[in-house]
Structures are given as structure tokens and as C-alpha cells.
Amino acid sequence: MTTRDVAAAADANVTTTQVEKKQADVALLTYRYVRMILVLPAAFLLIATVLEAISRGGFRESISDYYQGPVRDVFVGALMASGVVMVAYKGRSKLEDYALNFAGFNAFFVALVPNNFTKVLNTPTTQSLGSDEVITRAQMLTNLHLVLYALLAAAALFVFLDWRFMQWGAFKTEDAPHLAVVLIWISWVTEVAFLVVIVGGVLVGRETLFGLSIFGMLHFVAAGLLIGNLSFAVASRAFPDRLRTAVERRAATQNQRWALLSYQAIVALMWVGLLAGGLCIYLNVHYAVISVEYFEIVMFVIFWTLATRKDWTPAVTIPATDGTS
């Protein structure tokens, strides 16, 4: 091999190395942007609802009550944007990945069916869609059914594409810790029951279930599943020895003691807030619903900020793919 050939080979190696480094940098930047963007829709929603409350002289009973107000588009758009990013983000453990996937999926139901949907549906006056176009009650129900069918079809398409093009391993839980598997199955069972009993009930035309509005049940159950799964995602960071595999623990950077304590405190506060809020809602305490919603959002934003700071320069540049996202 001549000197020129050696030099050419060296240049080729340098070029290949530079390309690989550039690709790695792009992947890392994309990962960082996804982490930053996930909480921005929630912040957008909080700021918009607070400003609307200031302008009207008081808060509404719940965030979803803004569905009928001037920030309706913010409510729907922010929840859907958060849902998309939560599904797109690859968790650092199987439990975190599952939890964020389920949380993101349920965010769509919370957005599409607000807790005051029955009130909207039974409003005596028709809802104007344009200068001379109105919508009837029957049309609202038909539109809701079509939207729910579209959401389920899109979710099914995503699962198919995930199975077809990613390293599918959604149901491979044999290497996960026992407690993590239990939490994953809790998420699966509750989600399937929710889809079959409540969403299925809406799609077959029911408007009540167990004597209650099925639309209100759909909203609150979806919101509960959303918050519950977010708490599972936080728990996967708070208790790595119980909820992560040995490989996942080695791949992650060593958590400082204060970080673990912070995550554990957030998990506890999220569940205390959910249980206490449920009691206050049952007792008809004024502003109980919106207070719980604000509290849970703030808790998750704090968690995500801490986790983002910890993972800003991850030990593994591109999180391992097992097909659950």
C-alpha cells in the first residue's frame, strides 16, 4: 500500500468518525429537546388558565371546565401535545416507559371528553360552528363516537408500526423486578377495563353507567389513570433497587441520595394529593377538583425537571429500545 493509499484510508476513517459523532450529537440534542418539551404544554395550560381566571375574576371548578371557555383550544391542545411526547419519550426502565405510554394515551381521553361534557351536551341552545351552521345534540354524540374511533384506530396503527419497525419487546417482562411487573400489569388491566367498560359503553350509545354520567366517568377515570401512571414513572426513579433491572441500574448514572429522597417525596405527595383530593371532591369542597389538578401537574413538572437535570448528559447517549414506545 502506498503512502497516498494510507493517507486516503486515514482521511476516510476521520470522515466516518466525524459523521458518527455528528449523528450521536443530533440524537442527544433530540433527546434533550424531547425532555424539555414534555413539560411545556403543561406550563402553557397552567399559565393560560391562571390568566383567564384573573381576567374573569375567579377560577373555574376544574381545568376541564375551560373546555367551554376562551382557552378551550389551549386545554385540548396542551393535553394532546403532552400525550404525544409522553408516548414518544423512551423511558429509562421498562416500568417508566410503560407508565409514560399509558399516561400519554389517557391524556387524549381527558382532552376529548371533559368532565362537563354532559352539561355541554344538554345545553338547550345549539352550539354555533359558523355564521349559519349549528350542531345538534345527536350530532355532538356522533362526532364524539367518530373521534373516539379515530383515536383507537390511530393507537392501533402506532402499535402495529412499533411492532413492525422497532425492536418489539413490549411483553418481555421476565427480566424486570417482580414489583415492576406487578405495576405494569396493574396499568394493563385497568387500561383494558377502562376501554372495554367505559369507552366501549360510550361507543355503543350509553349515556349513564351505574347511575352516573358515563362521560363524567370516562373523564375522571382517564384522569385517574393518567395521574396514577405518572406516579409509577416517578416511582421507577425513586426506587431503582425495587423497580429497575440490574442492567437498567448500571446504564443509569448513580443517583445522589437527595435525588432519590426527592423522587420518593414526590411519589408520596402525588398519592396523598390524589387521595385527599378524591375525599374533598366527594365532600363537594369548593375548587377541590382544580386544586388537585394543579397540584398533580406541579408535582410532575418538578419531578421531570429534576430527572432532566440528572439525565442531561446520559451515560447511554441513545436510550435502549425494547419496543414499548
Side-chain angles (χ1 to χ4, degrees):
M1 179 179 290
T2 65
T3 303
R4 180 177 296 179
D5 293 335
V6 173
D11 290 341
N13 288 335
V14 171
T15 302
T16 301
T17 301
Q18 290 174 340
V19 171
E20 291 174 348
K21 183 178 184 303
K22 178 64 175 177
Q23 291 174 339
D25 290 342
V26 169
L28 178 57
L29 288 174
T30 300
Y31 168 76
R32 287 174 173 175
Y33 274 115
V34 169
R35 285 208 67 97
M36 287 192 301
I37 287 174
L38 192 147
V39 296
L40 293 183
F44 179 27
L45 178 60
L46 285 178
I47 294 170
T49 54
V50 169
L51 292 178
E52 198 266 358
I54 293 173
S55 69
R56 71 188 295 267
F59 287 92
R60 299 179 189 268
E61 286 296 323
S62 73
I63 291 179
S64 63
D65 283 344
Y66 290 89
Y67 185 85
Q68 282 186 292
V71 295
R72 169 178 176 169
D73 292 342
V74 178
F75 166 74
V76 176
L79 280 169
M80 288 192 171
S82 294
V84 168
V85 182
M86 280 190 279
V87 173
Y89 176 77
K90 181 65 188 174
R92 286 287 173 176
S93 66
K94 187 174 288 288
L95 174 60
E96 183 181 30
D97 199 38
Y98 262 115
L100 291 176
N101 285 349
F102 281 122
F105 183 52
N106 283 293
F108 283 88
F109 290 103
V110 176
L112 293 173
V113 187
N115 72 322
N116 61 351
F117 186 81
T118 302
K119 179 181 178 181
V120 175
L121 194 65
N122 294 327
T123 300
T125 57
T126 54
Q127 179 181 353
S128 176
L129 296 178
S131 58
D132 58 356
E133 186 177 1
V134 295
I135 184 171
T136 65
R137 186 180 193 277
Q139 288 173 324
M140 288 186 67
L141 286 173
T142 299
N143 291 343
L144 176 62
H145 294 166
L146 294 176
V147 168
L148 291 178
Y149 278 125
L151 173 59
L152 296 175
L157 177 61
F158 171 79
V159 172
F160 170 77
L161 294 174
D162 193 16
W163 166 78
R164 179 66 179 81
F165 297 108
M166 306 299 284
Q167 298 175 15
W168 182 257
F171 300 105
K172 295 179 180 178
T173 58
E174 63 273 7
D175 60 337
H178 177 72
L179 182 57
V181 174
V182 170
L183 295 180
I184 288 171
W185 277 108
I186 287 174
S187 294
W188 266 113
V189 171
T190 53
E191 192 66 37
V192 170
F194 165 68
L195 291 174
V196 172
V197 177
I198 300 180
V199 177
V202 172
L203 293 177
V204 298
R206 293 191 64 91
E207 294 190 26
T208 59
L209 188 64
F210 307 121
L212 302 172
S213 166
I214 197 170
F215 308 111
M217 290 183 66
L218 190 153
H219 176 84
F220 281 112
V221 172
L225 293 175
L226 167 62
I227 295 172
N229 279 289
L230 290 180
S231 74
F232 289 173
V234 181
S236 71
R237 300 284 186 128
F239 307 100
D241 293 337
R242 302 285 306 277
L243 298 174
R244 287 188 176 194
T245 66
V247 173
E248 291 165 351
R249 289 196 298 270
R250 287 196 300 269
T253 54
Q254 183 64 36
N255 282 319
Q256 297 177 356
R257 183 60 181 167
W258 71 267
L260 288 177
L261 291 175
S262 298
Y263 296 150
Q264 291 166 7
I266 292 171
V267 173
L269 288 172
M270 289 182 76
W271 277 99
V272 168
L274 193 60
L275 295 174
L279 177 61
C280 291
I281 293 169
Y282 176 76
L283 297 175
N284 292 319
V285 176
H286 199 40
Y287 293 133
V289 176
I290 196 169
S291 297
V292 173
E293 292 170 332
Y294 276 145
F295 178 78
E296 298 295 340
I297 291 174
V298 169
M299 286 295 100
F300 184 74
V301 169
I302 292 174
F303 156 71
W304 199 256
T305 302
L306 293 174
T308 298
R309 181 183 177 187
K310 191 67 179 174
D311 289 347
W312 193 250
T313 304
V316 179
T317 301
I318 305 175
T321 302
D322 65 6
T324 56
S325 266

